[in-house]
Amino acid sequence: MSAREADWNPHRLPDLTGRTYLVTGSNAGLGYFASEQLVNAGARVIMTGRNPNRLAAARAAVSARLPHATGTAETLLLDTSNLGSVRAAAATVRQRGRLDGLLLNAGIVHPPAQRETTRDGNELVLATNALGHFALAGALLTTLAARRGRMVWLGSMSTSISKYDPTDPQLVERYSPWRAYVQSKAVTTVVGLEADRRLRDARVPVTSVIAHPGYSTSGRTVGIRGVNEPSRWGRFLDNLQAPITQSKEHGAWPLVRALVDPDVEGGQMWGPGRVVAGPPRAAQPTAFLREPAIGERLWLMCEAATRMRWPFEAARR
């Protein structure tokens, strides 16, 4: 561990006063705790989700749990599986002013048993976990560039367990819930790394970083009404796995560090120090996910599926 890594304290983040971050899927799980940690450090956080009631409950929980925080939380409806919702949310964010970072966290962790498609015609898990974030990051690229901002893509250690090359990312053939999840995370990681290459080549002052939460479970996480309410049985099962799991709060640590640590560089990956759990440390994506040829192929797939071309030239200016 480097001296810089040893110095990082997830309980005492840098002062984020004056900074604004958008967190997708922030009404529960990792997104909620990342939002809470950012607000506690003084940031203005735009919490997003697709359910207005759950989103309101999450914002109320932040206020109740952090009564003395100097940061603020506001809400914005956003369904990453719906490209119309993504475009509308991005337009609202641009109108609200500056943006220092995007935490692209929202996703389906437990995919449906059978393949489903969105109204845009994309496979549901890919659309929610990857395509919606690709479209959102592209729509907000110039806003991020104005603040020399950062985007963080949520990867998964599952991509090192099941090394799927997403040659059929829409899973027209051989759909399974596990394949849908792993391939969506492989696409997310590959596209996040490809974004870094393209941003550098275009000289756009925005960094693209990957982060993963290890093995973080609801049953090992504090109960919060309307945000995290695991059953007794769920807590029992998750606690049986205590040596290899951690709470969602701790799982958010690498995500937040990837988003706000000034020493983090584009193209890096961050995760728990012990892979499944622990303080955040630099990690390494699986080798095949780093191949530029795969990045090029999946980038073009995302452009076609979302009808979004990132405005690199406008962002550079």
Side-chain angles (χ1 to χ4, degrees):
M1 179 184 295
S2 70
R4 181 69 187 88
E5 287 177 335
D7 289 343
W8 183 266
N9 185 344
H11 297 289
R12 301 184 68 178
L13 299 180
D15 183 7
L16 301 178
T17 301
R19 295 182 177 271
T20 299
Y21 300 97
L22 185 149
V23 181
T24 66
S26 48
N27 56 273
L30 298 167
Y32 171 81
F33 287 103
S35 299
E36 196 177 81
Q37 290 164 26
L38 294 167
V39 169
N40 200 38
R44 168 181 169 240
V45 178
I46 303 173
M47 302 177 68
T48 76
R50 63 184 181 181
N51 184 305
N53 294 330
R54 295 186 65 187
L55 199 53
R59 182 186 181 186
V62 170
S63 298
R65 284 169 52 83
L66 302 174
H68 305 298
T70 57
T72 60
E74 55 193 73
T75 59
L76 175 66
L77 290 177
L78 168 59
D79 180 355
T80 58
S81 73
N82 183 328
L83 293 174
S85 173
V86 171
R87 288 190 292 269
T92 299
V93 173
R94 290 193 297 267
Q95 292 172 354
R96 290 187 185 183
R98 64 191 184 188
L99 183 67
D100 294 278
L102 276 176
L103 179 51
L104 305 169
N105 159 81
I108 296 175
V109 179
H110 304 291
Q114 303 298 322
R115 183 179 185 271
E116 298 179 15
T117 57
T118 67
R119 66 179 65 184
D120 302 298
N122 296 309
E123 190 274 316
L124 177 63
V125 183
L126 177 72
T128 305
N129 295 8
L131 297 179
H133 287 136
F134 177 87
L136 181 66
L140 292 174
L141 187 61
T142 57
T143 308
L144 274 177
R147 295 283 292 174
R148 307 183 71 85
R150 186 178 297 172
M151 57 183 71
V152 175
W153 307 74
L154 190 66
S156 169
M157 64 181 188
S158 67
T159 57
S160 62
I161 298 171
S162 300
K163 299 179 180 180
Y164 293 146
D165 180 355
T167 54
D168 177 22
Q170 295 276 5
L171 289 179
V172 176
E173 305 290 340
R174 295 199 304 148
Y175 175 91
S176 74
W178 175 249
R179 183 179 290 271
Y181 177 73
V182 175
Q183 289 208 152
S184 74
K185 289 302 181 180
V187 170
T188 298
T189 301
V190 169
V191 169
L193 296 173
E194 179 67 13
D196 175 67
R197 288 189 282 266
R198 291 177 181 246
L199 290 164
R200 289 177 187 268
D201 289 346
R203 301 194 305 279
V204 175
V206 173
T207 50
S208 177
V209 183
I210 317 299
H212 79 87
Y215 190 8
S216 304
T217 64
S218 297
R220 298 205 62 209
T221 304
V222 62
I224 304 173
R225 183 178 296 276
V227 174
N228 187 64
E229 300 179 274
S231 66
R232 289 184 179 180
W233 180 243
R235 283 208 180 276
F236 174 75
L237 292 178
D238 284 352
N239 282 315
L240 288 179
Q241 305 178 83
I244 59 168
T245 62
Q246 63 181 356
S247 68
K248 298 281 187 179
E249 181 179 16
H250 291 180
W253 285 353
L255 284 58
V256 171
R257 180 168 190 179
L259 187 66
V260 307
D261 185 345
D263 291 336
V264 167
E265 298 178 358
Q268 289 185 328
M269 184 177 196
W270 288 80
R274 293 185 287 107
V275 182
V276 293
R281 290 187 62 183
Q284 185 73 283
T286 302
F288 84 92
L289 297 180
R290 305 196 301 269
E291 294 181 10
I294 296 179
E296 173 77 14
R297 167 162 50 88
L298 292 180
W299 187 275
L300 294 176
M301 180 276 296
C302 288
E303 286 186 335
T306 62
R307 300 180 295 281
M308 159 64 72
R309 294 180 66 87
W310 283 24
F312 290 104
E313 182 62 25
R316 182 178 65 82
R317 293 196 301 266

